[in-house]
Each structure stands twice: as C-alpha cells, then as structure tokens.
Amino acid sequence: MVDPSRQAIAFISDHADPAAEIGMEEAGGQNVYVRQMGENLAALGWHVDIFTRKSNANDLSIVQHSPHCRTIRLTAGPETFIPRDQLFEHMPEFLDNLQKFQTKQAIHYPLLHTNYWLSAWVGMQLQQKNNVQLIHTYHSLGRVKYETMQTRPAVAETRLAVEQQILEQANCVVATSPQEKEALRSLISQQGQVEVIPCGTTPNFHCIPKATAREKLGWHPQERVVLYVGRFDPRKGIETLVRACAHLKEMGTPHLKLVIVGGSSVERLDGPERKRIETLVDHLDLVKQTHFAGRIDHNWLPWYYSAADVCVIPSYYEPFGLVAIEAIACGTPVIASKVGGLRFTVIPEETGLLVPPRDVDELAVAIERVLQDELWAKKLKKQTSHPHNSRFSWKNSAMQLSDLYRYILARSIMHDQPWNPKISRLPGATDPLRIAAV
Ligand code: UDP
C-alpha cells in the first residue's frame, strides 16, 4: 500500500537487486546505489518502489526495506541467474509484469528512475505510453566496456543505441561524477540534460584504530596489507594488482599481504575471472601472501578498510567507484587508476595516489611508497581521516536527487503537457520484441 500523502517513484534496476548479497559476481555498486538512494529518499518523504528481476525462485517477491521503500522482484525469463549480456530478450516480460503490478495495485508512478541500459529500455517503453518523467543513471557505459573487449556480445549494437537514446530522451540523466558527465558528452551525445550527483557512504564507514581492527580480524601487526575490495570482473584490473604485488615480493618487500575481498565465500559460482586470478596468483608464486576473503558484509567492511595499510583500486574504468570513498571514510589511503570518477574522489598526495591503468610498474612503485615511507604514509592517513575528506554521504546524495525530482515534476506541471520525446527505432531490436513490449 502506498501512503496517499506520499509521491510514489519507481526505480528500475533490471539485474541489480538491492536486497541481494553485495560483492558477488554481478552484485556491486549499482545494488548499493539503488538501495541507499531508495531508503534515503523514503526518509525524505517519498514512496520508493524498486523493481528488479527475480533471479532465484526461492527469493521473496517483495522485500520491505523500510516502511516506504521496498524491492519488487518481477519474473522475466527463468527465475535463475542470467548474465547481463543475455537479459535483453527478457525485458519485454519484465515490462509487462511491471505494468501488471501497477494495474493490480492501482499505483501510478509519475517519475521513473532507471538504472543501467536494460532498465533504460524499459523506461523508454513506459515513457512512450504514459505521462511520466524519466531519469536515468548509467552505472556502466557500453562504449567504454567494449573498448577493452576482443569479442563484443551480440547485444552490443542495441546497447549502444539505447545508451544514446536515453541520454537524448530522458528528462534528465544523473552522472555520478563530473568525469562521467564528460564521458557522456564526448562519447555518447551532446544532447540531453545531465546533472552530477555523486554517490555516498553510510556513517558506519568510519575510522577504527588500525591495531584494534587487526586484532578483530586476526591480522598480524607487522604485516603490510594491500587491500582490494570489489567484484571479480576483468574491468576491475585485479590482474594488474596481483602482478604489482608479485613485483614487490621479488623486490624483497617484507611482510607483504594481499587481501582480496569480494566474490563468494562458499562453493558458488563467481564466474571465470575468479578462477583466472587464482591461477595467476598460483603462477606468480603469491599463494602464501594472498588471502581471498570472499564476500564480506557491508557492516564488516569498515574493519577491513581500517586494518589495511592501503586500498588499491586498479580498475580500467569506473564511473564513480564506491570503494574509494568507503576506504577514505575509514582513513585508509587509496591508490587508484587515473580513470573516470576515481579522478574525482581520490586527491593525489592528500588521500592517496593516482596511477595509469594497467601499469604494473607504476602501481608497484606507488604501493611501495605507501608501505615503505612511514612518515609520508602517516601524513597521508592523517589527511585521509580529516572530516573534509569524508564529504560523500548517501543522505546528501538523496537530498540532491530529491531536489532534482521536485524540479523535474514541477517543470512538467508548469509546461502542462506531457513530455514528448522524439521517438525513434532501436537498432538491433527485432520487430516481435518491440510488438511484445509496446
Ligand atoms: N562490496 C561489499 N562486499 C564485498 C565486496 C564489495 O559490500 O565483499 C561493496 C563495496 O563496499 C561497494 C560495492 O560493493 O559498496 C562496489 O561498488 P563499486 O562502485 O566500487 O564497484 P561496482 O560494483 O559498481 O563496479
């Protein structure tokens, strides 16, 4: 039931289930984003329904996160895990079930916030039929992703077309960093409105004394701990980090320990990337120095960040990169690739260092500098712990998003006519798919 005094908004997050375990193969930043934005927007007076695909038959169909924020899992294809690249053909069913839910519950959402390109496609179909305001957040860009792939998936052309169309047709696109906005303008289109609203962290990401955190985790005080937190995805560049650590070991760095957080801790599929990284660790004779911690709950992560000497984000691309601000909020210096939103969140020589992506030698030098130069590392830690550097909070992000929604809804009423986007065909979408969807 929706409280009639609240404005209802729908988040669409096709594959990223906000109620799922974060850190496993395809669950990461987007899941955190929709959950945190949803809950914080509900606290600001909205009613937020987050629609996602049901990927496990045993999962509940509705998960209530707080009194006015819930996740609704819709059937779209078999109720089992399906990789993102194979989900497009199930989006018409997702759309159909979303509309059925709305009719059954008699809810109208004047504002849709879509996340990722598959959701953008769903949002655009709804926008064609209803007077709704459409907001979109990309989370990942096909144009960037495909640059690093040797073979593009069959759905690539459709994705690229949808990503251009949503930028030009949505009432507003929310970029999470100025760098993402820049990328949208230079790689996708000059048309359409883009506003920057950064991501945040929750207050539980805070500094814990290193010795206390190490004791809690059973880590030795002498160890020099290099931490990675995130999914196993080739775009994350874990290979570069492993190679840099092997280099450091060769150079004689004492007490080196690499902790890799993310993925599954039980016998479940993490995809081929985990296997590939494990093989590499073995091949580089780094098994003794490496600990695969598996998926760690968000509530436990502050202990890991606080216990580490340095957190490394070796990604090839990041629109934002939540891990950077989480580590910084825990007072841990970050060494990150000089790409995307990491150039926004990591301040070189103040909260960490930026290095070129894929550059094993430069990364090794940067890690060595933090591990060896104790005085500088202490200064860095002190600066990182400064409240000024914990400036990102989900509460603030949701407040900015709430203002944007209000502005867009007010603008639509003032214009007193439905948004009338230029409707064009989606290349790659077959006719039966379109007929089924609209
Ligand atoms: N994360 C987690 N447990 C893990 C691994 C990752 O909670 O074991 C969380 C991490 O804290 C962060 C998110 O997953 O909030 C990853 O977001 P990021 O933006 O860094 O990467 P993305 O997944 O969007 O590529």
Side-chain angles (χ1 to χ4, degrees):
M1 275 296 288
V2 179
D3 176 342
S5 67
R6 285 178 176 252
Q7 184 85 266
I9 45 182
F11 269 38
I12 306 181
S13 177
D14 53 86
H15 66 281
D17 181 339
E21 292 184 346
I22 313 299
M24 299 217 283
E25 196 189 26
E26 288 204 349
Q30 186 179 329
N31 308 56
V32 175
Y33 181 94
V34 289
R35 170 86 176 257
Q36 289 298 332
M37 284 298 200
E39 285 192 25
N40 279 284
L41 283 164
L44 290 170
W46 301 84
H47 173 95
V48 187
D49 281 345
I50 310 170
F51 291 93
T52 193
R53 192 186 143 265
K54 195 170 187 182
S55 62
N56 184 336
N58 297 324
D59 281 347
L60 291 171
S61 293
I62 298 187
V63 179
Q64 197 76 41
H65 299 296
S66 62
H68 304 289
C69 175
R70 58 187 176 168
T71 287
I72 295 145
R73 295 184 171 123
L74 302 173
T75 299
E79 291 179 350
T80 173
F81 173 77
I82 301 176
R84 287 179 235 192
D85 283 343
Q86 293 160 31
L87 275 181
F88 185 57
E89 62 180 285
H90 301 297
M91 286 301 107
E93 190 183 354
F94 185 98
L95 173 67
D96 198 35
N97 283 331
L98 199 162
Q99 287 172 306
K100 281 185 184 144
F101 178 89
Q102 268 187 276
T103 311
K104 203 167 158 199
Q105 304 268 325
I107 308 177
H108 170 62
Y109 302 103
L111 200 142
L112 304 177
H113 188 150
T114 55
N115 294 269
Y116 197 63
W117 76 272
L118 291 164
S119 304
W121 183 86
V122 173
M124 286 193 288
Q125 308 308 310
L126 290 166
Q127 191 194 32
Q128 285 180 18
K129 293 172 71 179
N130 307 287
N131 181 17
V132 291
Q133 303 303 299
L134 186 58
I135 316 286
H136 181 67
T137 304
Y138 280 82
H139 297 280
S140 152
L141 268 184
R143 192 147 309 272
V144 175
K145 186 180 167 133
Y146 298 144
E147 256 172 35
T148 59
M149 289 173 85
Q150 278 169 356
T151 356
R152 289 177 167 205
V155 79
E157 289 312 312
T158 309
R159 175 175 181 174
L160 295 176
V162 171
E163 287 187 341
Q164 179 175 346
Q165 207 171 4
I166 189 74
L167 179 50
E168 296 176 353
Q169 282 189 200
N171 298 84
C172 188
V173 159
V174 175
T176 50
S177 64
Q179 287 73 13
E180 188 189 356
K181 180 174 178 175
E182 224 174 83
L184 293 177
R185 287 294 179 230
S186 62
L187 301 173
I188 311 287
S189 175
Q190 292 293 326
Q191 292 176 41
Q193 184 185 347
V194 182
E195 297 296 330
V196 176
I197 299 180
C199 299
T201 60
T202 49
N204 77 315
F205 287 98
H206 65 286
C207 301
I208 301 166
K210 195 197 273 183
T212 315
R214 287 203 172 190
E215 206 185 322
K216 181 102 172 170
L217 298 177
W219 294 2
H220 200 278
Q222 258 197 338
E223 279 170 339
R224 289 156 191 230
V225 180
V226 178
L227 177 71
Y228 168 86
V229 176
R231 294 176 294 114
F232 282 92
D233 180 327
R235 174 180 71 80
K236 291 287 184 182
I238 310 174
E239 173 176 351
T240 313
L241 172 60
V242 170
R243 290 190 184 280
C245 287
H247 190 65
L248 290 174
K249 187 191 162 204
E250 247 174 60
M251 304 303 287
T253 303
H255 311 297
L256 182 69
K257 182 170 176 179
L258 169 63
V259 178
I260 298 180
V261 166
S264 174
S265 37
V266 285
E267 287 297 306
R268 281 171 64 175
L269 267 187
D270 262 337
E273 182 64 356
R274 167 132 184 193
K275 265 265 137 309
R276 197 177 74 85
I277 296 299
E278 278 175 352
T279 310
L280 186 69
V281 165
D282 195 20
H283 174 73
L284 296 173
D285 194 20
L286 215 59
V287 173
K288 263 197 197 147
Q289 284 75 22
T290 308
H291 171 51
F292 288 92
R295 176 198 166 260
I296 302 294
D297 192 86
H298 234 62
N299 294 325
W300 268 92
L301 278 178
W303 296 93
Y304 281 78
Y305 287 126
S306 301
D309 289 293
V310 61
C311 177
V312 178
I313 309 171
S315 308
Y316 302 153
Y317 182 73
E318 284 293 343
F320 188 81
L322 283 174
V323 166
I325 58 168
E326 290 169 359
I328 291 167
C330 295
T332 303
V334 171
I335 298 177
S337 299
K338 199 175 183 175
V339 294
L342 296 169
R343 292 188 290 142
F344 173 56
T345 51
V346 180
I347 306 167
E349 304 291 334
E350 188 169 327
T351 56
L353 293 171
L354 291 171
V355 294
R358 300 170 187 272
D359 194 326
V360 173
D361 293 344
E362 286 263 356
L363 181 58
V365 168
I367 297 174
E368 179 75 348
R369 201 176 147 203
V370 180
L371 296 185
Q372 299 289 30
D373 188 343
E374 272 183 37
L375 220 62
W376 182 73
K378 266 192 187 147
K379 192 174 147 215
L380 208 59
K381 188 151 183 84
K382 200 169 159 204
Q383 285 165 178
T384 306
S385 318
H386 193 279
H388 164 79
N389 285 320
S390 306
R391 63 193 192 281
F392 300 101
S393 84
W394 285 116
K395 203 172 158 189
N396 283 344
S397 310
M399 268 155 54
Q400 290 178 57
L401 199 53
S402 177
D403 286 348
L404 179 69
Y405 290 168
R406 284 187 205 291
Y407 166 75
I408 284 172
L409 286 171
R411 188 176 65 181
S412 75
I413 293 165
M414 269 155 39
H415 286 178
D416 204 24
Q417 52 183 329
W419 175 253
N420 188 15
K422 288 172 267 139
I423 293 158
S424 56
R425 272 191 68 91
L426 297 179
T430 58
D431 275 329
L433 200 56
R434 285 186 63 79
I435 290 160
V438 290

